[in-house]
Amino acid sequence: DRHNEEMKTRVGVDRAPTTMSTYVYTRRTLAEFIKTEFKVSDLAFGQLNEQFIRDYQDFILLEKGYAVDTLRGYLAILKKICRIAYKEGHSEKTILPLQAAQAEGDNTESLSRENLEKLRDLEIPEKRRSHVITRDLFLFACYTGTAYADAVSITRENLFRDDEGSLWLKYRRKKTDYLGRVKLLPEALALIGKYCDDTRTTLFPPQDYHTLGANMKSLRLMAGLSQDLVYHMGSIFASLVTLEE
C-alpha cells in the first residue's frame, strides 16, 4: 500500500497510468487470494514460501482465468515488493521461490498434438471421476479456447444456433467481460452432451480449482506426457491449432 501510494504521485511524471493499474490489480488479487486461502486479511512476509507462490499462480490462472503474461507481471511486482521488504528489514529472506515461479511461467510450452491425443485417449478408472472431469474440462479448453473460470460457469443460456443450424457458445469472459463467440466443434459438442444434466444449471460439473490443479499433475503422469500439464495450455492449443483449423 505504501509503495502504491508513492507511485500515485509519479503518474504522469515518470510512470504511466497503465503501470499504476498493474500494481493496483496485483495488490487486489493478492488480498483476494489471502482471504480465500488463509481466511485472514494479511500475512507476514515470513509466511511467503514456495507453496504460497504455487497456490497464487493457480489462483490467477485457474480461479481468475488470467493469462500467463498477466501472471508474470504480478509475480514481478510481488518480487519487487519482497525485495524492498528484505532491504528494510521486514523480511529475513528475499522470497527465492519467486525466481523459480517466474522461470516456470516464462518456459510455458504449448501443448503438442501428440500429448493431446494421449490425454484424450487415456482410459481413466471410473472411481477417479474427479480426474475424468478435469481431463474433459481441459479438452473442452483445447477445442474452444475457454478459460477454466468460464468453462465451469457457462450454462445452456450461453448456447445459440446460427442461420445454418450450427451451435455456438456465446459468453462474457470472466477476466475481461468481453463477449466471446466460439463455434462448437463436434468434439466440444460431445463433451457437452456427456455432462448434460437437467438438475444442474452449468454445462459442466463444478470443480474446485485446487482440485483441478492437482488432478492435472496426476493426469500428466497417468498419460505419460513429455511435458508439464497446466490448464491454460488448453487455451493456447485452441488459439494456435484448433480454432485456426
Side-chain angles (χ1 to χ4, degrees):
D1 287 338
R2 189 195 77 196
H3 179 279
N4 286 1
E5 287 299 320
E6 292 173 351
M7 178 169 281
K8 282 183 183 179
T9 64
R10 300 168 61 182
V11 172
V13 180
D14 59 355
R15 290 292 183 274
T18 52
T19 302
M20 181 71 226
S21 64
T22 303
Y23 279 85
V24 171
Y25 285 125
T26 302
R27 193 260 189 234
R28 186 177 300 169
T29 57
L30 273 170
E32 186 179 349
F33 168 68
I34 290 172
K35 185 176 181 179
T36 301
E37 183 74 12
F38 300 94
K39 313 303 180 186
V40 295
S41 60
D42 205 356
L43 293 176
F45 278 100
Q47 293 176 268
L48 271 65
N49 54 25
E50 186 171 356
Q51 190 58 48
F52 176 95
I53 303 302
R54 302 299 179 191
D55 290 343
Y56 178 60
Q57 289 185 97
D58 286 345
F59 178 78
I60 294 299
L61 296 175
L62 300 179
E63 177 67 9
K64 304 301 291 183
Y66 291 178
V68 178
D69 286 342
T70 301
L71 170 65
R72 289 183 188 137
Y74 289 178
L75 289 177
I77 289 175
L78 180 57
K79 183 178 180 180
K80 175 183 178 180
I81 299 301
C82 288
R83 190 184 304 118
I84 294 173
Y86 174 74
K87 289 181 178 179
E88 295 186 0
H90 303 300
S91 174
E92 296 180 356
K93 54 186 178 180
T94 55
I95 319 299
L96 294 178
L98 275 168
Q99 297 175 348
Q102 283 185 285
E104 181 180 279
D106 290 339
N107 293 326
T108 299
E109 302 178 52
S110 59
L111 182 71
S112 69
R113 186 181 294 278
E114 178 185 1
N115 282 338
L116 170 72
E117 293 173 352
K118 285 183 179 180
L119 187 63
R120 180 196 63 196
D121 299 336
L122 176 65
E123 293 187 8
I124 305 174
E126 185 58 34
K127 64 180 180 179
R128 292 197 170 187
R129 177 168 171 76
S130 176
H131 289 79
V132 175
I133 294 173
T134 296
R135 190 267 305 275
D136 289 346
L137 284 170
F138 179 74
L139 290 178
F140 190 75
C142 291
Y143 300 137
T144 64
T146 308
Y148 161 81
D150 298 316
V152 296
S153 61
I154 53 178
T155 69
R156 293 179 186 82
E157 295 181 357
N158 295 116
L159 301 177
F160 75 99
R161 292 191 181 277
D162 60 21
D163 295 337
E164 299 178 352
S166 299
L167 199 61
W168 288 66
L169 178 67
K170 181 170 68 174
Y171 65 100
R172 290 282 178 184
R173 292 194 63 194
K174 186 173 182 180
K175 174 188 173 183
T176 61
D177 199 40
Y178 288 164
L179 182 63
R181 295 185 181 88
V182 181
K183 186 175 183 178
L184 294 173
L185 302 175
E187 295 89 345
L189 290 171
L191 288 171
I192 291 176
K194 178 179 179 179
Y195 290 97
C196 182
D197 187 343
D198 292 336
T199 65
R200 190 182 61 243
T201 57
T202 56
L203 294 180
F204 294 99
Q207 186 168 70
D208 178 77
Y209 73 95
H210 283 303
T211 301
L212 182 136
N215 286 352
M216 294 291 287
K217 295 177 182 179
S218 299
L219 287 169
R220 179 206 172 186
L221 297 176
M222 293 166 64
L225 303 188
S226 59
Q227 61 186 137
D228 289 334
L229 190 65
V230 287
Y231 191 85
H232 63 271
M233 291 170 68
S235 298
I236 296 174
F237 183 87
S239 300
L240 297 179
V241 181
T242 306
L243 300 182
E244 181 175 325
E245 294 183 356

